[in-house]
Amino acid sequence: NVVFNVSNWSTYSVEELSSISACATLGVADTTYTLSGNISATGTCFSVTADNIILDCAGHNITGDGTGFAVNSSADGVNSFTGLQVWNCTISNFATSISADGAEKGVGEGYDAGTINIINSQLSSISSIGGAGGGPGGPGGNINISYSNVTTITSAGGVGSAADGNIGGDVI
């Protein structure tokens, strides 16, 4: 609910906090962010810094300059943020459209890649690779694709010094 205490006539408007019109950090867990228009980006456009983020492009385009990621939920020194969902997007001209790679770890098992759900979207590439480790590599993330076109999908376990543990995630 929004309450306005008005003493004079004026014009007011309310915009949802989750409505976005430019590249940004998507950092509030369990939140749906909805694009209000097409976006052009230089380098990485959206950095995901929380679990269970939904990016609903509402039929709009995210267009890059040939570098970076449209959406990056990879994290330094930890498991990738997981539960990323991308809905109703057309993503083009990025080095990688969506990345949820696990971080490298010098000692022990590499960090986990994140889970990605793509619904009703068009994009060129997804990467969900487990982080390299001094022990086993981290597991690759699961990628679920519904009613979408994706040209290249990479889900693999990270490289490790141990023979086990580097398992790719499921692609459904």
Side-chain angles (χ1 to χ4, degrees), residues 57-139:
C57 292
H60 297 292
N61 302 325
I62 304 171
T63 305
D65 66 351
T67 65
F69 308 103
V71 181
N72 183 19
S73 67
S74 304
D76 292 331
V78 295
N79 295 328
S80 173
F81 295 101
T82 194
L84 173 64
Q85 297 187 46
V86 176
W87 301 351
N88 309 309
C89 292
T90 299
I91 297 172
S92 61
N93 206 30
F94 285 90
T96 301
S97 300
I98 300 172
S99 177
D101 295 342
E104 183 175 333
K105 187 174 183 183
V107 177
E109 183 175 334
Y111 290 106
D112 299 354
T115 298
I116 305 170
N117 298 293
I118 308 297
I119 301 168
N120 194 34
S121 295
Q122 316 298 315
L123 48 122
S124 62
S125 57
I126 300 173
S127 176
S128 186
I129 301 172

Side-chain angles (χ1 to χ4, degrees), residues 5 29 49 90 93 115 119 121 131-132 134-135 145 149-150 152-153 158 162:
N5 293 319
T49 60
T90 299
N93 206 30
T115 298
I119 301 168
S121 295
I145 302 169
N149 291 317
V150 180
T152 304
I153 301 168

